[in-house]
Short mmCIF file of all heavy atoms in Angstrom, two decimals:
data_model
loop_
_atom_site.label_atom_id
_atom_site.label_comp_id
_atom_site.label_asym_id
_atom_site.label_seq_id
_atom_site.Cartn_x
_atom_site.Cartn_y
_atom_site.Cartn_z
N ILE R 1 23.25 -77.73 -13.47
CA ILE R 1 22.81 -79.03 -13.16
C ILE R 1 23.24 -79.37 -11.70
O ILE R 1 24.46 -79.49 -11.46
CB ILE R 1 23.46 -80.08 -14.12
CG1 ILE R 1 23.29 -79.67 -15.57
CG2 ILE R 1 22.88 -81.46 -13.89
CD1 ILE R 1 21.88 -79.53 -16.06
N PRO R 2 22.25 -79.46 -10.81
CA PRO R 2 22.63 -79.73 -9.39
C PRO R 2 23.18 -81.16 -9.21
O PRO R 2 22.81 -82.06 -9.97
CB PRO R 2 21.34 -79.51 -8.65
CG PRO R 2 20.25 -79.71 -9.63
CD PRO R 2 20.83 -79.34 -11.00
N GLN R 3 23.95 -81.30 -8.15
CA GLN R 3 24.43 -82.67 -7.83
C GLN R 3 23.23 -83.50 -7.36
O GLN R 3 22.34 -82.99 -6.78
CB GLN R 3 25.47 -82.59 -6.71
CG GLN R 3 26.78 -81.98 -7.17
CD GLN R 3 27.46 -82.83 -8.21
OE1 GLN R 3 27.51 -84.01 -8.14
NE2 GLN R 3 27.97 -82.16 -9.28
N LEU R 4 23.32 -84.79 -7.67
CA LEU R 4 22.22 -85.68 -7.33
C LEU R 4 22.42 -86.18 -5.85
O LEU R 4 23.56 -86.50 -5.47
CB LEU R 4 22.17 -86.84 -8.27
CG LEU R 4 21.96 -86.56 -9.72
CD1 LEU R 4 22.11 -87.81 -10.57
CD2 LEU R 4 20.57 -85.97 -9.96
N THR R 5 21.30 -86.35 -5.20
CA THR R 5 21.38 -87.01 -3.87
C THR R 5 21.46 -88.52 -4.04
O THR R 5 21.10 -89.04 -5.12
CB THR R 5 20.10 -86.67 -3.02
OG1 THR R 5 19.00 -87.27 -3.66
CG2 THR R 5 19.86 -85.19 -2.86
N GLN R 6 21.88 -89.19 -3.03
CA GLN R 6 21.97 -90.68 -3.15
C GLN R 6 20.63 -91.28 -3.44
O GLN R 6 20.51 -92.19 -4.20
CB GLN R 6 22.60 -91.23 -1.85
CG GLN R 6 22.98 -92.70 -1.94
CD GLN R 6 24.10 -92.87 -2.98
OE1 GLN R 6 24.96 -92.05 -3.23
NE2 GLN R 6 24.02 -93.99 -3.66
N GLU R 7 19.60 -90.73 -2.82
CA GLU R 7 18.23 -91.26 -3.03
C GLU R 7 17.84 -91.05 -4.43
O GLU R 7 17.25 -91.96 -5.08
CB GLU R 7 17.30 -90.55 -2.07
CG GLU R 7 15.84 -91.05 -2.14
CD GLU R 7 14.95 -90.27 -1.11
OE1 GLU R 7 15.24 -90.38 0.10
OE2 GLU R 7 14.02 -89.61 -1.63
N ARG R 8 18.14 -89.89 -4.97
CA ARG R 8 17.72 -89.63 -6.39
C ARG R 8 18.51 -90.50 -7.35
O ARG R 8 18.00 -90.98 -8.40
CB ARG R 8 17.98 -88.13 -6.70
CG ARG R 8 17.64 -87.75 -8.10
CD ARG R 8 16.13 -87.83 -8.34
NE ARG R 8 15.85 -87.40 -9.73
CZ ARG R 8 14.96 -87.94 -10.53
NH1 ARG R 8 14.20 -88.90 -10.07
NH2 ARG R 8 14.79 -87.57 -11.75
N ARG R 9 19.75 -90.80 -7.01
CA ARG R 9 20.59 -91.66 -7.86
C ARG R 9 19.96 -93.03 -7.88
O ARG R 9 19.86 -93.65 -8.99
CB ARG R 9 22.01 -91.75 -7.32
CG ARG R 9 22.84 -90.55 -7.48
CD ARG R 9 24.21 -90.68 -6.80
NE ARG R 9 24.87 -89.41 -6.62
CZ ARG R 9 25.70 -88.84 -7.44
NH1 ARG R 9 25.93 -89.42 -8.63
NH2 ARG R 9 26.16 -87.69 -7.19
N GLN R 10 19.52 -93.53 -6.78
CA GLN R 10 18.82 -94.87 -6.74
C GLN R 10 17.57 -94.86 -7.60
O GLN R 10 17.32 -95.85 -8.31
CB GLN R 10 18.54 -95.25 -5.31
CG GLN R 10 19.78 -95.59 -4.51
CD GLN R 10 19.52 -95.76 -3.00
OE1 GLN R 10 18.47 -95.49 -2.55
NE2 GLN R 10 20.58 -96.31 -2.29
N GLU R 11 16.76 -93.77 -7.53
CA GLU R 11 15.59 -93.67 -8.33
C GLU R 11 15.93 -93.70 -9.81
O GLU R 11 15.27 -94.37 -10.58
CB GLU R 11 14.84 -92.37 -8.01
CG GLU R 11 14.14 -92.33 -6.65
CD GLU R 11 13.56 -90.96 -6.39
OE1 GLU R 11 13.31 -90.18 -7.32
OE2 GLU R 11 13.40 -90.66 -5.19
N LEU R 12 16.97 -92.94 -10.15
CA LEU R 12 17.36 -92.93 -11.57
C LEU R 12 17.87 -94.29 -12.09
O LEU R 12 17.55 -94.68 -13.20
CB LEU R 12 18.46 -91.89 -11.80
CG LEU R 12 18.01 -90.43 -11.70
CD1 LEU R 12 19.22 -89.49 -11.79
CD2 LEU R 12 17.00 -90.07 -12.78
N VAL R 13 18.59 -95.01 -11.24
CA VAL R 13 19.05 -96.35 -11.61
C VAL R 13 17.87 -97.26 -11.86
O VAL R 13 17.77 -97.99 -12.82
CB VAL R 13 20.02 -96.95 -10.58
CG1 VAL R 13 20.25 -98.43 -10.82
CG2 VAL R 13 21.31 -96.17 -10.62
N LYS R 14 16.85 -97.12 -10.93
CA LYS R 14 15.67 -97.99 -11.05
C LYS R 14 14.90 -97.64 -12.31
O LYS R 14 14.40 -98.53 -13.05
CB LYS R 14 14.78 -97.73 -9.78
CG LYS R 14 13.65 -98.65 -9.61
CD LYS R 14 12.92 -98.32 -8.37
CE LYS R 14 11.78 -99.28 -8.02
NZ LYS R 14 11.16 -98.94 -6.79
N MET R 15 14.79 -96.33 -12.63
CA MET R 15 14.08 -95.81 -13.80
C MET R 15 14.80 -96.37 -15.06
O MET R 15 14.18 -96.80 -16.02
CB MET R 15 14.04 -94.35 -13.79
CG MET R 15 13.21 -93.75 -14.91
SD MET R 15 13.11 -91.97 -14.78
CE MET R 15 14.77 -91.44 -15.30
N THR R 16 16.14 -96.23 -15.08
CA THR R 16 16.92 -96.67 -16.32
C THR R 16 16.78 -98.19 -16.45
O THR R 16 16.70 -98.63 -17.58
CB THR R 16 18.36 -96.21 -16.28
OG1 THR R 16 18.96 -96.66 -15.07
CG2 THR R 16 18.51 -94.73 -16.35
N ARG R 17 16.78 -98.91 -15.39
CA ARG R 17 16.62 -100.39 -15.42
C ARG R 17 15.28 -100.74 -16.06
O ARG R 17 15.17 -101.64 -16.91
CB ARG R 17 16.75 -100.95 -14.03
CG ARG R 17 16.64 -102.52 -14.01
CD ARG R 17 16.86 -103.10 -12.65
NE ARG R 17 18.24 -102.99 -12.27
CZ ARG R 17 18.70 -102.40 -11.13
NH1 ARG R 17 17.83 -101.86 -10.34
NH2 ARG R 17 19.99 -102.34 -10.86
N GLN R 18 14.25 -99.94 -15.73
CA GLN R 18 12.91 -100.21 -16.30
C GLN R 18 12.92 -99.89 -17.80
O GLN R 18 12.31 -100.60 -18.60
CB GLN R 18 11.82 -99.37 -15.61
CG GLN R 18 10.42 -99.70 -16.06
CD GLN R 18 10.01 -101.16 -15.90
OE1 GLN R 18 10.20 -101.72 -14.86
NE2 GLN R 18 9.53 -101.73 -17.00
N MET R 19 13.60 -98.79 -18.18
CA MET R 19 13.66 -98.46 -19.62
C MET R 19 14.34 -99.61 -20.42
O MET R 19 13.92 -99.91 -21.50
CB MET R 19 14.51 -97.16 -19.82
CG MET R 19 13.79 -95.93 -19.31
SD MET R 19 14.97 -94.51 -19.45
CE MET R 19 13.98 -93.21 -18.82
N VAL R 20 15.40 -100.15 -19.82
CA VAL R 20 16.13 -101.22 -20.52
C VAL R 20 15.25 -102.44 -20.58
O VAL R 20 15.17 -103.16 -21.57
CB VAL R 20 17.48 -101.49 -19.78
CG1 VAL R 20 18.15 -102.75 -20.33
CG2 VAL R 20 18.37 -100.36 -20.02
N GLU R 21 14.53 -102.75 -19.48
CA GLU R 21 13.62 -103.89 -19.45
C GLU R 21 12.57 -103.74 -20.51
O GLU R 21 12.13 -104.72 -21.17
CB GLU R 21 13.10 -104.13 -18.10
CG GLU R 21 12.27 -105.41 -17.94
CD GLU R 21 13.08 -106.62 -18.35
OE1 GLU R 21 14.31 -106.74 -17.95
OE2 GLU R 21 12.55 -107.52 -19.04
N ASP R 22 11.98 -102.52 -20.68
CA ASP R 22 11.01 -102.25 -21.72
C ASP R 22 11.61 -102.52 -23.11
O ASP R 22 10.97 -103.09 -23.99
CB ASP R 22 10.50 -100.84 -21.65
CG ASP R 22 9.63 -100.64 -20.41
OD1 ASP R 22 9.24 -101.62 -19.71
OD2 ASP R 22 9.42 -99.41 -20.05
N GLY R 23 12.86 -102.15 -23.29
CA GLY R 23 13.57 -102.40 -24.57
C GLY R 23 13.72 -103.84 -24.80
O GLY R 23 13.59 -104.38 -25.96
N LYS R 24 14.03 -104.59 -23.76
CA LYS R 24 14.18 -106.08 -23.88
C LYS R 24 12.84 -106.77 -24.23
O LYS R 24 12.81 -107.73 -25.03
CB LYS R 24 14.76 -106.70 -22.63
CG LYS R 24 16.26 -106.40 -22.42
CD LYS R 24 16.74 -107.05 -21.17
CE LYS R 24 18.22 -106.87 -21.01
NZ LYS R 24 18.71 -107.60 -19.83
N VAL R 25 11.78 -106.20 -23.68
CA VAL R 25 10.42 -106.75 -24.08
C VAL R 25 10.20 -106.49 -25.53
O VAL R 25 9.69 -107.37 -26.21
CB VAL R 25 9.36 -105.98 -23.22
CG1 VAL R 25 7.94 -106.30 -23.78
CG2 VAL R 25 9.38 -106.48 -21.77
N SER R 26 10.62 -105.36 -26.06
CA SER R 26 10.46 -105.13 -27.51
C SER R 26 11.26 -106.14 -28.34
O SER R 26 10.84 -106.55 -29.41
CB SER R 26 10.70 -103.68 -27.91
OG SER R 26 12.09 -103.35 -27.79
N LEU R 27 12.54 -106.44 -27.81
CA LEU R 27 13.31 -107.41 -28.49
C LEU R 27 12.62 -108.80 -28.53
O LEU R 27 12.61 -109.50 -29.57
CB LEU R 27 14.69 -107.58 -27.75
CG LEU R 27 15.69 -106.49 -27.96
CD1 LEU R 27 16.99 -106.83 -27.18
CD2 LEU R 27 16.04 -106.27 -29.39
N ARG R 28 11.99 -109.17 -27.39
CA ARG R 28 11.35 -110.49 -27.35
C ARG R 28 10.14 -110.47 -28.23
O ARG R 28 9.80 -111.51 -28.78
CB ARG R 28 10.98 -110.77 -25.92
CG ARG R 28 12.19 -111.06 -25.00
CD ARG R 28 11.81 -111.65 -23.66
NE ARG R 28 11.21 -110.72 -22.81
CZ ARG R 28 11.80 -109.94 -21.91
NH1 ARG R 28 13.13 -109.92 -21.80
NH2 ARG R 28 11.15 -109.12 -21.10
N ASN R 29 9.47 -109.34 -28.35
CA ASN R 29 8.33 -109.28 -29.27
C ASN R 29 8.76 -109.49 -30.71
O ASN R 29 8.11 -110.15 -31.55
CB ASN R 29 7.55 -107.94 -29.16
CG ASN R 29 6.77 -107.91 -27.85
OD1 ASN R 29 6.47 -108.96 -27.21
ND2 ASN R 29 6.49 -106.65 -27.37
N ILE R 30 9.90 -108.84 -31.03
CA ILE R 30 10.41 -108.98 -32.43
C ILE R 30 10.79 -110.49 -32.65
O ILE R 30 10.46 -111.03 -33.70
CB ILE R 30 11.65 -108.07 -32.62
CG1 ILE R 30 11.26 -106.64 -32.58
CG2 ILE R 30 12.40 -108.43 -33.92
CD1 ILE R 30 12.43 -105.64 -32.46
N ARG R 31 11.41 -111.07 -31.62
CA ARG R 31 11.84 -112.45 -31.75
C ARG R 31 10.58 -113.33 -31.96
O ARG R 31 10.52 -114.20 -32.82
CB ARG R 31 12.54 -112.93 -30.42
CG ARG R 31 12.84 -114.42 -30.51
CD ARG R 31 13.41 -114.92 -29.18
NE ARG R 31 12.33 -114.79 -28.18
CZ ARG R 31 12.56 -114.88 -26.86
NH1 ARG R 31 13.76 -115.06 -26.39
NH2 ARG R 31 11.55 -114.75 -26.01
N ARG R 32 9.57 -113.16 -31.16
CA ARG R 32 8.27 -113.88 -31.33
C ARG R 32 7.72 -113.78 -32.67
O ARG R 32 7.31 -114.78 -33.31
CB ARG R 32 7.35 -113.42 -30.24
CG ARG R 32 6.06 -114.26 -30.24
CD ARG R 32 4.89 -113.68 -29.47
NE ARG R 32 4.49 -112.41 -30.08
CZ ARG R 32 4.43 -111.23 -29.50
NH1 ARG R 32 4.71 -111.09 -28.22
NH2 ARG R 32 4.12 -110.17 -30.18
N ASP R 33 7.65 -112.51 -33.18
CA ASP R 33 7.07 -112.34 -34.51
C ASP R 33 7.80 -113.07 -35.61
O ASP R 33 7.20 -113.67 -36.48
CB ASP R 33 7.01 -110.79 -34.83
CG ASP R 33 6.08 -110.00 -33.90
OD1 ASP R 33 5.23 -110.63 -33.30
OD2 ASP R 33 6.15 -108.78 -33.87
N PHE R 34 9.16 -113.04 -35.56
CA PHE R 34 9.92 -113.69 -36.59
C PHE R 34 9.89 -115.22 -36.44
O PHE R 34 9.92 -115.90 -37.45
CB PHE R 34 11.29 -113.14 -36.62
CG PHE R 34 11.40 -111.80 -37.35
CD1 PHE R 34 11.29 -110.61 -36.68
CD2 PHE R 34 11.48 -111.81 -38.75
CE1 PHE R 34 11.34 -109.42 -37.38
CE2 PHE R 34 11.52 -110.58 -39.44
CZ PHE R 34 11.44 -109.38 -38.77
#
């Protein structure tokens, strides 16, 4: 597993933030349905 560059680290943080935001959207959809 190669070491990550600073640029790649920023991309990964951005990508994980989007994954979490998608998860929060699913929570809000569950809330709305109930």
Side-chain angles (χ1 to χ4, degrees):
I1 311 297
Q3 290 297 316
L4 299 173
T5 64
Q6 192 61 34
E7 183 178 298
R8 180 67 179 142
R9 288 176 198 270
Q10 290 171 347
E11 287 174 23
L12 288 173
V13 168
K14 190 175 184 181
M15 183 177 76
T16 55
R17 183 176 287 122
Q18 184 58 50
M19 289 175 180
V20 171
E21 190 53 45
D22 292 346
K24 287 182 176 184
V25 167
S26 70
L27 287 179
R28 290 191 291 268
N29 288 338
I30 293 167
R31 176 189 64 195
R32 184 195 63 235
D33 292 345
F34 279 94

